[in-house]
Amino acid sequence: MKLKGRNKVSPDFSMSSMTDIVFLLLIFFMLTANSPNALDLLLPKAKGKSTNTQNVSVSIDKNLQYYVNNERINGEYIEIELKKALEGQDKPTIILRAEESVAIKEAVNVMAIANRNNYKVILAVRPN
């Protein structure tokens, strides 16, 4: 009578599955890390293409707080801050990020400043 089993347990350990898990965790944490554009704004939806040219970012949140390149400023001094930030640029461009609930007159105010100073304005939106 044969009592010996046919299947042998291998004591070898494979590191490939462990490295796969560590690699996936690394990607996850890199994607969820805070980015420099970390203002929590709910942008309006629209169709269009995105651009990578950005000189200055102007953000307006639902509490009507203004940010120039993520630095909070008083709304009265936005033109002065924009002139400082865009000084010496060949093609000065402003990325306008106005939250969906912000009144259009606030965004138009920034556009009027850009028009007075010959700045190009790009309105940031969420993809549709």
Side-chain angles (χ1 to χ4, degrees):
M1 186 158 144
K2 209 174 187 185
L3 295 175
K4 192 173 183 183
R6 289 188 224 166
N7 299 334
K8 288 192 174 188
V9 177
S10 174
D12 297 335
F13 179 72
S14 175
M15 285 293 289
S16 63
S17 60
M18 185 67 76
T19 55
D20 290 344
I21 291 171
V22 170
F23 181 69
L24 289 174
L25 284 173
L26 175 69
I27 291 173
F28 174 76
F29 286 123
M30 286 177 62
L31 292 175
T32 58
N34 287 339
S35 67
N37 297 329
L39 291 178
D40 188 24
L41 298 177
L42 180 61
L43 298 174
K45 289 183 183 178
K47 291 183 181 175
K49 63 179 187 176
S50 63
T51 62
N52 289 333
T53 59
Q54 177 178 349
N55 292 340
V56 173
S57 170
V58 176
S59 303
I60 309 170
D61 69 4
K62 62 184 173 190
N63 299 324
L64 299 181
Q65 296 174 344
Y66 288 81
Y67 298 86
V68 174
N69 288 339
N70 295 329
E71 181 180 323
R72 187 171 175 209
I73 62 163
N74 190 338
E76 298 172 6
Y77 304 115
I78 191 161
E79 187 165 6
I80 296 167
E81 292 294 325
L82 286 174
K83 284 181 180 180
K84 279 196 276 185
L86 291 169
E87 188 176 30
Q89 299 286 335
D90 279 345
K91 296 179 183 177
T93 305
I94 298 171
I95 303 291
L96 179 57
R97 292 174 162 63
E99 195 162 354
E100 195 172 32
S101 62
V102 171
I104 193 70
K105 70 178 184 174
E106 304 299 329
V108 169
N109 182 28
V110 175
M111 290 179 184
I113 292 169
N115 191 30
R116 275 196 303 267
N117 296 291
N118 295 321
Y119 300 150
K120 183 179 175 184
V121 178
I122 299 173
L123 181 63
V125 293
R126 295 187 280 171
N128 211 358

